[in-house]
Amino acid sequence: MTETDGSAPLVRLEGVNKHFGPLHVLKDIDLSVRRGEVVVVIGPSGGGKSTLCRLINRLETADSGTITFDGRELPAEGRALAQLRSEVGMVFQSFNLFAHKTILENVTLGPIKVRGIPRQQAEQRGRELLERVGIASQAAKYPAQLSGGQQQRTAIARALAMDPKMILFDEPTSALDPEMVQEVLDVMIGLARDGMTMMVVTHEMGFARRAADRVVFMADGQIVEEGEPSEFFSRPGTERARDFLSKILTH
Amino acid sequence: MEAVVDELPVILHAFWLTVRLTVISGLIALAWGTVLAAMRVSPLPVLRAAAAIYVNVLRNTPLTLIIVFCGLGLGTVMDVQFSRDDLSVNNFWLSTIGLSAYTAAFVCEVIRSGVNTVPMGQAEAARSIGLTFLQTLRLVILPQAVRAVIAPLGSLLIALTKNTTVAAAIGVAEAALRMKNLFDAHGDAVIPLFLGFAAGFVVLTLPVGLLFGWLSRRLAVAR
């Protein structure tokens, strides 16, 4: 879908290692994501997928190696880090909407407090975004009053409100009831079509086939294999990937 | 009973002082306790340690000692004066300092336990949209934390209302000191006077408990 245009990648990880206590969760990860690319990360649970995702906006810190975003190494802390995070959207498995704020306030908090956009303007944009993800009528409600699918679409709108250069999705549909998965995936497919740079950790192979430019298969803290979705799903190159796919695609 | 009726203006005046001590100390303690709680959850070890030391020293010192220190130590020795010519104004504010400083330690711990009720994901979401640590605390964590601990904060306010009687130790003419004075003047009416003052405290504190119970249900954050 996207051409390699020779420009520097938006995200580049080089030789990244991460431990949780004695557990070596990421082992010498090298990965880059081009602008406009949709990278889907799949693999068995505990393989380091979520950690990889969380490293990019520094919700986790790497033990070694370098991570650059938009040509700069990730800032360690303070305002520079907050600035970086405002440019990288994040959608969580458990939605994490601000429980004490309405749906509209959830979407406008960042623009008002981080970007300094006037409230009225932020609210107008917020309503447009809620419209785009199909929940404009819920704007005045609180997160607990919405279904999981509606909450996750709000979370996507909240990320979009910051005009991020990239959005990270950490298992966005894993906590949803089955009948709500598709409405969230539809929004994500729309984003992918519009050219948003995305890294998506998911178990939704259908989404990977339809929207991904590249599939990265991770297991035991390593990138085992990566490639175009059609190629990867039809002819996985490694035994580990074949084994994984046979387990999830049979039912 | 007659003595209570006769001295009603004095009694009401004394309770008015109790109310002022409570409200002013309560507001200062809430603000200062919130700052302390923020320090205790901050990423800076120096701030965390300073707040922890403060809380443990103040919380484990008897209030009487703190009030007497404020009166003698701050007031007399260090010459902290709020009014040069009115001793009662001076003692009022010195005891307010003591009550606020003491109560803030408890407020801090209550709010900190409230912070622990806020799921980790709330802070992660706040950070991931680019809010700074202070913004995350102020806009996302504390509003939810405080709502979770409204009822225990109400208990602290009730305790504070009764703790203001310790200000009698440095001559603040609140309810307890007035009661003692009235005992001296009306030796035959000790029990009615005592019951009158006790009832006065119940009148002050019972509605506080009910109000905070109602508030805590009303402001609870649905998850």
Side-chain angles (χ1 to χ4, degrees), chain A:
Chain A
M1 270 184 256
T2 337
E3 314 293 329
T4 318
D5 56 11
S7 68
L10 185 60
V11 181
R12 185 196 292 270
L13 290 87
E14 284 169 304
V16 169
N17 282 280
K18 174 72 182 174
H19 298 77
F20 286 124
L23 217 60
H24 197 171
V25 289
L26 291 177
K27 299 170 187 162
D28 285 318
I29 299 291
D30 292 306
L31 180 71
S32 49
V33 181
R34 298 187 309 273
R35 279 167 220 279
E37 192 178 24
V38 177
V39 174
V40 169
V41 184
I42 63 170
S45 299
K49 308 185 300 291
S50 286
T51 308
L52 176 71
C53 200
R54 292 161 60 86
L55 278 173
I56 294 173
N57 68 352
R58 224 177 140 86
L59 284 179
E60 304 287 354
T61 53
D63 298 333
S64 65
T66 57
I67 304 172
T68 57
F69 182 82
D70 208 7
R72 288 170 304 155
E73 200 162 325
L74 295 192
E77 56 188 19
R79 290 211 168 268
L81 178 57
Q83 162 78 21
L84 164 96
R85 285 180 175 146
S86 74
E87 294 176 355
V88 185
M90 176 107 189
V91 174
F92 300 87
Q93 179 175 353
S94 50
F95 328 134
N96 295 348
L97 294 181
F98 305 130
H100 62 309
K101 295 200 172 284
T102 65
I103 295 307
L104 184 62
E105 286 168 345
N106 263 276
V107 177
T108 57
L109 185 71
I112 293 171
K113 297 295 177 182
V114 178
R115 296 267 190 260
I117 292 170
R119 175 174 301 274
Q120 215 172 2
Q121 201 179 322
E123 284 183 354
Q124 195 192 335
R125 176 86 206 289
R127 286 182 198 283
E128 286 167 18
L129 288 169
L130 291 179
E131 186 80 49
R132 177 167 169 190
V133 299
I135 41 174
S137 59
Q138 316 289 333
K141 290 191 183 167
Y142 285 87
Q145 297 171 283
L146 267 57
S147 72
Q150 290 172 323
Q151 289 193 54
Q152 196 60 300
R153 285 185 280 153
T154 306
I156 294 173
R158 175 173 69 181
L160 286 174
M162 300 302 291
D163 290 319
K165 291 175 177 162
M166 174 184 194
I167 302 184
L168 307 167
F169 293 83
D170 186 4
E171 303 206 22
T173 57
S174 301
L176 294 175
D177 291 337
E179 75 269 26
M180 290 166 186
V181 169
Q182 198 54 46
E183 65 188 52
V184 171
L185 292 179
D186 286 342
V187 171
M188 292 167 61
I189 290 166
L191 287 181
R193 284 213 185 99
D194 292 347
M196 176 61 73
T197 309
M198 296 160 65
M199 180 185 270
V200 185
V201 174
T202 188
H203 297 294
E204 295 296 329
M205 298 305 142
F207 173 80
R209 279 179 198 276
R210 282 187 63 187
D213 298 311
R214 182 156 48 117
V215 173
V216 172
F217 176 70
M218 279 188 79
D220 307 320
Q222 286 170 311
I223 293 178
V224 178
E225 186 175 343
E226 55 183 308
E228 272 194 31
S230 54
E231 182 72 18
F232 174 78
F233 286 112
S234 54
R235 283 183 296 280
T238 60
E239 188 53 44
R240 193 79 177 79
R242 267 195 294 277
D243 181 49
F244 177 75
L245 288 176
S246 72
K247 278 176 187 153
I248 56 164
L249 293 180
T250 46
H251 55 88

Side-chain angles (χ1 to χ4, degrees), chain B residues 36-115:
Chain B
L36 286 168
M39 288 166 70
R40 289 208 74 171
V41 299
S42 83
L44 297 176
V46 182
L47 290 183
R48 282 206 303 272
I53 291 168
Y54 176 95
V55 165
N56 283 306
V57 169
L58 271 285
R59 198 169 53 161
N60 294 305
T61 308
L63 178 59
T64 313
L65 259 65
I66 294 173
I67 296 286
V68 169
F69 170 80
C70 286
L72 296 179
L74 286 185
T76 311
V77 178
M78 292 160 80
D79 201 32
V80 176
Q81 301 279 339
F82 292 91
S83 166
R84 283 283 158 198
D85 37 50
D86 193 339
L87 194 64
S88 68
V89 170
N90 220 18
N91 286 342
F92 175 85
W93 285 105
L94 288 170
S95 58
T96 300
I97 291 177
L99 287 166
S100 314
Y102 176 78
T103 309
F106 293 89
V107 170
C108 167
E109 291 304 274
V110 164
I111 290 182
R112 197 164 65 104
S113 75
V115 169

Side-chain angles (χ1 to χ4, degrees), chain B residues 122-145:
Chain B
Q122 294 286 306
E124 288 189 347
R127 283 150 69 199
S128 74
I129 59 170
L131 295 176
T132 61
F133 171 75
L134 275 179
Q135 283 178 319
T136 298
L137 205 58
R138 194 163 52 81
L139 300 168
V140 176
I141 305 301
L142 285 178
Q144 296 186 52

